[in-house]
């Protein structure tokens, strides 16, 4: 029940009470006339949630109210038996109220204890005492706080608070009484909050200015305006993703970007084969003198960043035979250019741009010329010649020509209508079928994608042109049976994400080839810099080339593949995101390019050059900041509690549970129903609202996903209907690998709330401040990490022991699976040095 409906029902309750209060009400009357109405009509509980007059060893309780994971006892007293409560108090300890209300408190405690519960409500229909009357953790129950509503006027004045603590919807969402779950913001400290220079940025690396243009172009999307016609770049960097070349490593074993089992989706995973299939489809479209029914729209679907734009560009620039393309003039439209904040689609502007590109790219067709225009509007001109223009055509040719020109000028003002007629003219008289490619609508929400789809299909039907539409697969699969998608027959093709390692390797190789060609012309500028050891390094075009040689050597030798593993797992199947992280690394202030260049210059060619994993993670996790801030970093902090919770492990438990499901049941059995997942953790005492928030965060971080293929959809609210969940490749890698490493713990502890002052003080004592170049004393970093782990170990003692026995100790796993080895290795080096 919504708050508005609840408030309206409460107003009715007050009116009924004013009528009933004239009569003496027994305890049974109080229950039936006041408490039943309040819980059922005002607070939205259902009869199935209520058990009345149940028996226990202590006697008969009045109500037991239960939902999965939470139960409470309600003790009802006569309406005239007022409780002794503070006049203006909102909360009070049980101890303060016990003497004056001993009988009723002892009575409800007996019922609660008999049933192994903790929570209860004492009410006479108008006054309410709400809280925990029994503790299972060994603490003193009389110190517990009770929430007090001292009469109907008090409820009226604090109705939102009353609703948030006792309504069914709030109890379900909060997993109990809300007031017991709120976290005091002043009860924790964070290291980053105590640092004066926490927002300070460091100077970018010495080559970033020289590299920015190259990196943004080469490691961005292939299909952008800057490189739209760069066929050499497209051919060199496109990865065909042939299945025969796939390695059966852990990533491919546990996770796979497969086409869905839907009848309308063409099941070809080889991108080269897919390109051939679509190319054949385009070529086979009949082009006859007579206008025909339009070809089916072609929908390209794939996950976010899987390479739909790249595939479309490769298809039209390299795969379709040039001779066949001459019969299919194609225009590419990037919808990012046309997005308005009001979510409207300016179809006139888009149509106008399509026309302009037709005129420019296919100038030889002279579609803007008088001859073509007169043929486009031949029928209307013919009717006017026999009608309103007849006299001028016979007697005043100059006036006639002026009217024809004005007519053609007016007709062209309606861009969309003119485009439709021009397309029909191309089919009818030039035997050409126009193809319009509408790309990047999938960068926006479903409302925008629907509008783009409707616009594309309207052009398809009215202009008889072929249309390509790229859509995010999550939206398409979810909405394909709903308007507008179910109104059109389409051919749907799934683009499978290629190997990230192959993509990056091709981009780096192309970059090196390009640098070799251009270094004498464009990259002969010299910049001087010093590395931390004092060596002079000349930053020339040759130095940039050496930097990329070092990167290539570090990433693609067999024993140096950890960074590629990280990028593969943490961005799969989003190739765009992987390239974004690599760009961040290249331009980060923490990427010591001068040192990498020296490694290339002074390392034996037979030796392997290595970029350490910790340097890569720090470069992208901090970027140009001196300290870690989880709100902005691309590296998520799994230890950060969700809102209204001080539990550091909830997100980790969910990931461990789903990862165990994946490893035990395999790909086919990796999904868990949402409500089953909730019930599993509720049984261990976790609150439903905390679990919901944790799941929402994990979905938005793409650490888990849904079986509705919605991983590429932003989750703002969990859907009402049940759905399945599974861990993603990113989630698997974080909970099995990244979380266990010193460099991760060292980073995220800076922005983790610490709820115990003693540990926080110790961490602040050891925490080393950053120098201007971002370096921090290693000995201090080790000590801070050790204190943080000691704090987490103490916090873990509050976790359900049965859950630890089932899924393993989070801190124990972290130490055993990486942290202890990292600390041992670091100590064997020189921990007093900065790094």
């Amino acid at each position: 029940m919504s708050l508005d409906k609840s408030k309206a029902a409460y107003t009715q309750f007050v009116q009924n009470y004013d009528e009933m209060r004239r009569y003496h009400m027994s305890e049974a009357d109080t229950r039936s006339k006041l408490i039943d109405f309040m819980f059922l009509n005002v607070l939205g509980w259902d009869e199935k949630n209520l058990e009345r007059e149940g028996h226990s060893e202590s006697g008969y309780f009045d109500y037991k109210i239960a939902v999965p994971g939470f139960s409470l006892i309600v003790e009802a007293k006569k309406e005239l038996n007022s409780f002794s409560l503070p006049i203006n108090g909102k909360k009070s300890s049980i101890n303060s109220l016990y003497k004056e209300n001993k009988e009723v408190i002892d009575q409800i405690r007996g019922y609660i204890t008999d049933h192994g519960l903790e929570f209860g409500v004492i009410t006479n229909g108008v006054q309410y005492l709400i809280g925990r009357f029994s503790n299972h953790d060994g603490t003193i129950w009389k110190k517990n706080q009770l929430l007090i509503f001292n009469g109907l006027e008090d409820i009226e004045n604090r109705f939102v608070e009353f609703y948030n603590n006792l309504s069914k919807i709030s109890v379900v969402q909060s997993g109990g009484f809300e007031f017991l779950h709120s976290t005091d913001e002043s009860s924790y400290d964070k290291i980053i909050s105590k640092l004066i220079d926490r927002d300070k940025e460091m100077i970018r690396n010495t080559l970033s200015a020289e590299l920015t243009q190259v990196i943004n172009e080469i490691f961005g999307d292939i299909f952008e305006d800057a490189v739209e016609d760069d066929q050499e770049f497209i051919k060199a960097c496109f990865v065909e993703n042939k299945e025969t070349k796939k390695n059966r490593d852990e990533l491919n074993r546990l996770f796979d970007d497969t086409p869905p089992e839907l009848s309308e989706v063409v099941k070809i995973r080889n991108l080269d084969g897919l390109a051939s299939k679509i190319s054949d489809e385009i070529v086979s479209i009949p082009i006859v003198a007579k206008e025909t029914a339009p070809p089916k729209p072609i929908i390209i679907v794939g996950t976010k960043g899987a390479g739909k734009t790249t595939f479309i560009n490769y298809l039209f620039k390299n795969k379709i035979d040039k001779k066949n393309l001459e019969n299919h003039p194609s225009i590419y439209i990037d919808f990012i250019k046309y997005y308005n904040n009001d979510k409207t689609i300016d179809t006139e502007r888009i149509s106008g741009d399509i026309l302009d590109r037709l005129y420019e790219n296919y100038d030889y067709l002279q579609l803007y010329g008088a001859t073509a225009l007169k043929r486009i509007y031949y029928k209307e001109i013919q009717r006017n010649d026999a009608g309103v223009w007849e006299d001028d055509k016979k007697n005043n040719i100059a006036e006639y020509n002026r009217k024809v020109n004005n007519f053609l000028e007016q007709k062209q003002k309606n861009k969309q209508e003119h485009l439709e007629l021009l397309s029909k003219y191309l089919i009818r008289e030039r035997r050409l079928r126009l193809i319009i490619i509408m790309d990047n609508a999938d960068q926006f929400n479903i409302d925008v994608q629907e509008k783009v789809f409707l616009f594309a299909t309207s052009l398809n039907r009215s202009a008889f042109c072929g249309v390509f539409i790229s859509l995010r697969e999550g939206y398409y699969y979810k909405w394909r049976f709903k308007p507008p998608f179910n109104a059109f027959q389409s051919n749907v093709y799934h683009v499978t994400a290629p190997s990230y390692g192959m993509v990056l390797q091709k981009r780096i190789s192309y970059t090196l080839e390009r640098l070799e060609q251009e270094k004498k012309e464009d990259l002969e500028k010299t910049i001087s810099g010093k590395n931390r050891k004092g060596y002079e390094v000349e930053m020339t075009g040759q130095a940039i080339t050496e930097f990329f040689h070092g990167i290539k050597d570090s990433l693609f030798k067999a024993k140096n593949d950890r960074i590629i593993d990280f990028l593969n797992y943490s961005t799969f199947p989003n190739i765009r995101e992987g390239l974004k992280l690599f760009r961040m690394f290249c331009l980060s202030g923490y990427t010591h390019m001068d040192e990498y260049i020296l490694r290339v210059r002074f390392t034996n060619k037979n030796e392997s050059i290595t970029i350490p994993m910790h340097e890569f993670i720090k470069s992208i996790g901090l970027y140009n900041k001196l300290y870690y801030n989880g709100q902005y970093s691309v590296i998520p902090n799994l230890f950060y509690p969700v809102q209204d919770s001080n539990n550091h492990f909830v997100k980790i438990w969910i990931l461990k549970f789903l990862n165990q499901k994946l490893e035990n049941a395999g790909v086919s059995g990796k999904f868990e129903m949402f409500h089953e997942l909730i019930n599993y953790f509720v049984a261990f005492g976790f609150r439903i609202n905390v679990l919901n928030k944790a799941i929402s965060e994990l979905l938005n971080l793409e650490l888990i996903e849904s079986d509705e293929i919605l991983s590429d959809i932003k989750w703002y609210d969990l859907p009402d209907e049940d759905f399945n969940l599974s861990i993603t490749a990113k989630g698997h890698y974080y909970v099995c690998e990244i979380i266990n490493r010193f460099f991760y713990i060292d980073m995220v502890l800076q922005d983790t709330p610490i709820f115990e002052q003693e540990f926080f003080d110790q961490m602040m004592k050891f925490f080393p401040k950053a120098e201007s170049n971002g370096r921090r004393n290693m000995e201090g970093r080790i000590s801070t990490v050790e204190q943080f782990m000691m704090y987490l170990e103490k916090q873990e003692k509050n976790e359900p022991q049965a859950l630890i026995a089932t899924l393993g100790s989070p801190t124990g796993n972290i130490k055993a699976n990486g942290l202890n080895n990292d600390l041992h290795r670091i100590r064997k080096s020189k921990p007093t040095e900065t790094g």
Side-chain angles (χ1 to χ4, degrees), residues 594-712:
D594 48 355
E595 294 185 17
Y596 300 155
I597 292 166
L598 287 171
R599 291 176 194 174
V600 173
R601 290 183 180 178
F602 300 112
T603 300
N604 188 304
K605 290 186 177 180
N606 295 323
E607 295 180 13
S608 177
I609 301 168
T610 301
I611 296 174
M613 183 69 166
H614 69 267
E615 289 186 14
F616 184 86
I617 296 296
K618 185 165 71 172
S619 292
I620 65 173
L622 300 181
Y623 197 43
N624 292 315
K625 296 287 187 180
L626 290 180
Y627 303 103
Y628 172 83
N629 187 325
Q631 184 177 358
Y632 308 110
S633 178
V634 297
I635 303 295
N637 183 358
L638 294 180
F639 298 108
Y640 204 104
V642 299
Q643 185 180 4
D644 297 329
S645 171
N646 60 2
N647 190 313
H648 295 285
F649 303 105
V650 176
K651 288 179 282 191
I652 296 171
W653 284 129
I654 294 172
L655 289 175
K656 287 173 75 70
F657 174 84
L658 292 174
N659 190 68
Q660 187 180 85
K661 179 94 173 174
L662 169 71
E663 293 183 340
N664 290 342
V667 177
S668 60
K670 66 180 180 178
F671 288 105
E672 182 74 12
M673 290 292 289
F674 168 73
H675 79 274
E676 294 289 348
L677 180 66
I678 293 291
N679 289 340
Y680 178 83
F681 284 103
V682 164
F684 287 105
F686 290 91
R687 305 199 311 268
I688 294 175
N689 68 321
V690 170
L691 293 169
N692 284 339
K693 290 173 183 177
I695 289 170
S696 294
E697 283 190 21
L698 291 171
L699 283 164
N700 284 324
L701 291 170
E702 298 180 348
L703 296 169
I704 63 176
E705 65 184 349
S706 153
D707 68 335
E708 295 183 0
I709 321 180
L710 296 175
S711 60
D712 53 352

Side-chain angles (χ1 to χ4, degrees), residues 649 790-801 804 809-811:
F649 303 105
M790 290 170 61
Y791 164 74
L792 289 179
E793 286 173 333
K794 185 176 180 183
Q795 293 290 303
E796 189 181 304
K797 291 180 180 178
N798 298 323
E799 298 300 294
Q801 292 304 305
I804 293 174
S809 161
T811 57

Side-chain angles (χ1 to χ4, degrees), residues 322 572 580 731 742 777 784:
K322 185 176 181 181
F572 176 86
K580 173 186 171 183
F742 173 83
N777 177 271
T784 311

Side-chain angles (χ1 to χ4, degrees), residues 709-735:
I709 321 180
L710 296 175
S711 60
D712 53 352
I713 295 176
K714 188 73 172 176
W715 290 77
Y716 297 102
D717 297 296
L718 296 177
D720 294 331
E721 65 274 10
D722 208 359
F723 55 96
N724 281 330
L725 291 169
S726 70
I727 197 167
T728 62
K730 181 179 179 180
H732 169 79
Y733 197 66
Y734 265 83
V735 80

Side-chain angles (χ1 to χ4, degrees), residues 377-502:
Y377 295 98
Y378 171 75
K379 291 183 178 179
E380 292 179 74
I381 292 175
Q382 197 174 44
R383 285 195 294 269
N384 286 337
D385 284 347
V388 294
W389 297 343
E390 183 179 14
D391 290 342
D392 289 327
K393 185 175 182 181
K394 291 179 179 179
N395 305 316
N396 190 345
I397 195 64
E399 179 63 16
Y400 169 75
N401 288 334
R402 185 187 66 79
K403 288 182 177 181
V404 171
N405 290 337
N406 286 341
F407 168 79
L408 295 174
E409 184 178 352
Q410 289 299 316
K411 283 294 183 181
Q412 292 181 82
K413 288 183 177 180
N414 188 325
K415 303 295 185 182
Q416 185 172 343
E417 183 179 325
H418 180 62
L419 175 61
E420 293 170 0
L421 293 172
L422 184 150
S423 177
K424 292 178 179 180
Y425 156 77
L426 286 174
I427 297 171
R428 183 179 65 246
E429 300 192 22
R430 308 293 285 269
R431 296 186 177 237
L432 302 174
R433 174 83 70 173
L434 176 63
I435 295 177
I436 299 175
I437 306 158
M438 298 189 176
D439 195 20
N440 282 328
D442 63 318
Q443 299 299 311
F444 307 107
N445 63 26
I446 186 62
D447 293 334
V448 175
Q449 294 193 55
E450 284 182 0
K451 290 182 174 68
V452 173
F453 182 81
L454 284 172
F455 175 55
T457 50
S458 70
L459 282 181
N460 174 248
R461 288 191 168 190
S462 59
F464 299 110
C465 59
V467 294
F468 273 71
I469 315 159
S470 67
L471 296 174
R472 196 79 58 81
E473 68 176 18
Y475 285 129
Y476 173 74
Y477 298 142
K478 183 177 181 180
W479 294 94
R480 67 188 185 279
F481 295 129
K482 300 177 182 178
F485 298 107
N486 62 351
F488 303 92
Q489 284 191 340
S490 306
N491 289 336
V492 185
Y493 296 89
H494 177 273
V495 171
T496 302
S499 162
Y500 179 80
M502 288 294 296

Side-chain angles (χ1 to χ4, degrees), residues 109 133 135 138 169 193 272 523 549 561 565 632 650:
R109 268 183 51 79
F133 290 89
N135 294 345
I169 188 172
S193 301
D272 190 49
L523 298 174
H549 272 297
D561 58 1
D565 276 349
Y632 308 110
V650 176

